[in-house]
């Protein structure tokens, strides 16, 4: 709640965009808390922060973490919960005088949200070498300010090389951002992986013409193509129920004039599925549907894939650790696939990884009314603690 005061919005949410002065204030506050918990803090060239608590032995830490940037009309919990749950793990180990065999640590990843700078999950993506640091630093916001300049501006362009640190395992706690746990009245989501995603631009081309003199049968109305495509996209996802998802969320109509038949429409399509083969099938179905609609309406349709994330499957041992911790604490749980991408998805490329979900009110996130119950947040932090302890090993209590 203290962290949520920084960038607080009137409706109870948070606006703390990546690499703004508010982001600096939020980072400074949390880094202060992590230092007070005795962690040694290191910042890398992408602004990722690592707060490490020493273990009996040196070597790769068992890491947790998430992000403290938010959407423009974001909530208090997305990302911030995962970081603060990690802080609570360190404080709890201190309170109990616990010495772990391996070091344990908390990471704060830069620009997870992708609101101010594309790509999303920029810091963890550079860390996992999905793209280069130079690529990340060269990205610009809508005012033309580069990621690199903004990072230096808030004093978080650190000296540590990006991605050279090895990680023994990574566990991330996060609100579910969906309705399943709440609906089933379960406290812990044992996250087994994340949906694969393919994003497309579909460009429908017909012909601009006067809305009056042009007879119905003589038209090449690009918006009719796009309209049928919205239904086709939804039907494709329903054909892959319950795991398939498909969404048209963006549409640009040209010339977008009341008395002109639209000559061109650009629309987005977002397709998701936990199985890469099913995702490939959905891709084929999308292209077949577009071609059939275009033929029928005498239009052209160009389907361009612009983003692809393979489905990620988290590490079996780490997933089991999370499940065991929930059972040991007597908490109800279920296995679940994440519909959204998280920093953990990129971390899973370089370290054994799992995630812990807790319910959020009505499944709503990326919204100022985002909310979660203190007892659920506590339960998730306890599961995180015990999953990390199992992995790190306890030397002395
Ligand atoms: Zn998040």
């Amino acid at each position: 709640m203290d962290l949520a005061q920084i960038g607080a919005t009137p409706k109870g949410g948070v606006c703390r965009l990546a690499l703004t002065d508010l982001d600096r204030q939020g980072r400074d506050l949390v880094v202060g808390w992590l230092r007070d918990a005795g962690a040694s803090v290191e910042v890398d060239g992408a602004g990722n922060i690592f707060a490490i608590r020493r273990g009996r032995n040196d070597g790769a830490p068992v890491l947790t973490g998430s992000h403290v940037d938010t959407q423009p009309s974001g909530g208090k919990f997305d990302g911030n919960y995962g970081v603060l749950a990690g802080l609570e793990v360190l404080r709890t180990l201190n309170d109990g005088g616990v010495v772990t065999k391996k070091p344990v640590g908390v990471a704060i990843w830069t620009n997870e949200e992708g609101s101010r700078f594309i790509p999303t999950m920029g810091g963890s993506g550079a860390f996992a070498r999905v793209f280069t640091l130079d690529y990340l630093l060269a990205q610009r916001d809508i005012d033309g300010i580069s990621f690199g300049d903004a990072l230096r501006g808030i004093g978080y362009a650190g000296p540590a090389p990006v991605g050279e640190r090895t990680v023994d395992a990574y566990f991330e706690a996060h609100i579910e951002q969906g309705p399943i746990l709440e609906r089933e009245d379960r406290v812990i989501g044992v996250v087994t992986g994340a949906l694969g995603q393919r994003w497309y631009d579909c460009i429908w081309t017909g012909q601009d013409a006067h809305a009056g003199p042009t007879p119905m049968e003589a038209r090449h109305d690009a918006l009719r193509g796009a309209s049928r495509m919205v239904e086709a996209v939804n039907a494709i996802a329903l054909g892959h129920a319950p795991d398939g998802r498909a969404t048209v969320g963006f549409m640009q109509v040209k010339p977008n004039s009341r008395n002109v038949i639209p000559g061109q429409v650009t629309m987005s399509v977002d397709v998701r599925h936990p199985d890469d083969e099913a995702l490939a099938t959905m891709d084929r179905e999308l292209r077949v549907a577009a071609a059939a609609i275009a033929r029928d309406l005498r239009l052209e349709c160009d389907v361009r894939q612009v983003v692809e994330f393979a489905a990620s499957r988290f590490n079996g041992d780490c997933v089991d650790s999370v499940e065991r911790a929930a059972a040991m604490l007597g908490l109800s749980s279920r296995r679940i696939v994440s519909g959204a991408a998280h920093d953990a998805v990129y971390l899973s490329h370089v370290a054994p990884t799992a995630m812990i979900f807790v319910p959020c009110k009505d499944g709503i996130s990326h919204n100022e009314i985002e909310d979660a119950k203190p007892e659920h947040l506590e339960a998730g932090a306890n599961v995180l603690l015990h999953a990390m302890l199992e992995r790190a090993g306890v030397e002395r209590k």
Side-chain angles (χ1 to χ4, degrees):
M1 294 307 120
D2 290 341
L3 178 56
Q5 291 303 308
I6 301 171
T9 59
K11 287 184 196 155
V14 181
C15 175
R16 203 163 59 237
L17 298 183
L19 310 186
T20 56
D21 192 62
L22 289 171
D23 187 16
R24 177 191 64 75
Q25 292 175 41
R27 287 163 172 256
D28 287 353
L29 182 65
V30 179
V31 165
W33 287 335
L34 289 163
R35 284 215 168 95
D36 289 346
S40 64
V41 175
E42 181 182 282
V43 182
D44 75 13
N48 297 317
I49 299 166
F50 301 89
I52 307 297
R53 183 182 190 269
R54 296 182 61 142
R56 180 79 178 76
N57 309 316
D58 294 335
V62 176
L63 199 64
T64 184
S66 197
H67 57 97
V68 296
D69 66 317
T70 76
Q71 290 284 329
S73 55
K76 302 183 189 77
F77 300 94
D78 178 0
N80 294 278
Y81 166 58
V83 171
L84 296 179
L87 170 66
E88 181 61 15
V89 165
L90 299 194
R91 287 176 173 174
T92 301
L93 295 179
N94 292 344
D95 291 347
V98 176
V99 178
T100 53
K101 291 197 170 100
K102 297 171 188 169
V104 298
V106 181
I108 303 175
W109 306 106
T110 301
N111 187 43
E112 191 273 349
E113 295 289 3
S115 289
R116 183 175 173 200
F117 296 98
I118 302 282
T120 61
M121 307 182 293
S124 53
F127 182 83
R129 302 217 165 105
V130 176
F131 35 79
T132 64
L133 178 62
D134 286 344
Y135 170 82
L136 185 67
L137 297 179
Q139 299 304 307
R140 290 179 186 276
D141 69 7
I142 52 167
D143 299 321
I145 299 168
S146 75
F147 188 111
D149 285 342
L151 185 61
R152 277 188 295 277
I154 66 162
Y156 273 89
V162 177
E164 285 190 9
R165 166 186 288 286
T166 52
V167 175
D168 179 81
Y170 181 73
F171 295 93
E172 181 170 345
H174 207 282
I175 56 169
E176 182 197 342
Q177 304 182 290
I180 295 170
L181 293 175
E182 186 179 71
R183 206 166 60 202
E184 296 186 0
D185 198 20
R186 291 184 210 231
V187 180
I188 298 296
V190 179
V191 187
T192 56
L195 298 183
Q197 306 184 24
R198 295 196 192 198
W199 297 0
Y200 304 85
D201 285 339
C202 297
I203 299 144
W204 296 87
T205 306
Q207 190 172 45
D208 298 0
H210 198 300
T214 316
M216 297 311 286
E217 70 280 3
R219 299 178 174 209
H220 302 272
D221 184 341
L223 185 54
R224 282 189 73 204
S227 303
R228 286 203 197 170
M229 190 67 172
V230 172
E231 284 301 328
V233 161
N234 280 270
I236 288 167
L238 288 167
H240 292 266
D243 291 330
R245 312 265 190 279
T247 306
V248 176
F250 168 91
M251 200 180 278
Q252 226 168 15
V253 181
K254 277 188 192 161
N256 212 20
S257 171
R258 187 179 296 270
N259 54 357
V260 181
I261 298 158
Q264 192 174 68
V265 175
T266 303
M267 66 195 285
S268 67
V269 179
D270 171 321
V271 177
R272 305 186 186 206
H273 199 284
D275 178 73
D276 284 325
E277 235 166 83
L279 202 59
T281 305
M282 292 171 85
D283 173 275
R284 275 195 301 279
E285 290 171 356
L286 183 74
R287 291 170 193 280
V288 167
I293 295 167
R295 220 174 17 251
D296 199 28
L297 298 176
R298 293 168 302 149
L299 301 168
E300 277 171 34
C301 184
D302 184 13
V303 178
R304 295 180 198 159
Q305 186 181 300
V306 291
V307 168
E308 178 169 6
F309 289 112
S312 46
R313 202 158 283 154
F314 290 152
N315 177 273
D317 292 338
C318 291
V319 170
D320 289 347
S321 290
V322 170
E323 198 161 57
R324 265 196 299 275
M328 195 253 293
L329 294 162
L331 298 164
S332 57
S333 72
R334 74 157 359 240
R335 293 197 164 208
I336 192 167
V337 175
S338 175
H342 294 285
D343 292 310
V345 168
Y346 281 155
L347 262 292
S348 74
H349 296 194
V350 292
T353 293
M355 287 187 79
I356 300 153
F357 277 174
V358 296
C360 59
K361 188 167 188 295
D362 301 326
I364 290 174
S365 178
H366 285 189
N367 190 315
E368 290 167 270
I369 64 167
E370 183 183 276
D371 202 4
K373 290 186 178 158
E375 59 268 33
H376 292 163
L377 299 170
E378 180 189 3
N382 276 325
V383 171
L384 178 66
L385 169 72
H386 287 283
M388 289 180 78
L389 275 183
E390 186 181 281
R391 185 84 191 187
V394 175
E395 181 77 13
R396 193 179 69 231
K397 240 192 270 205

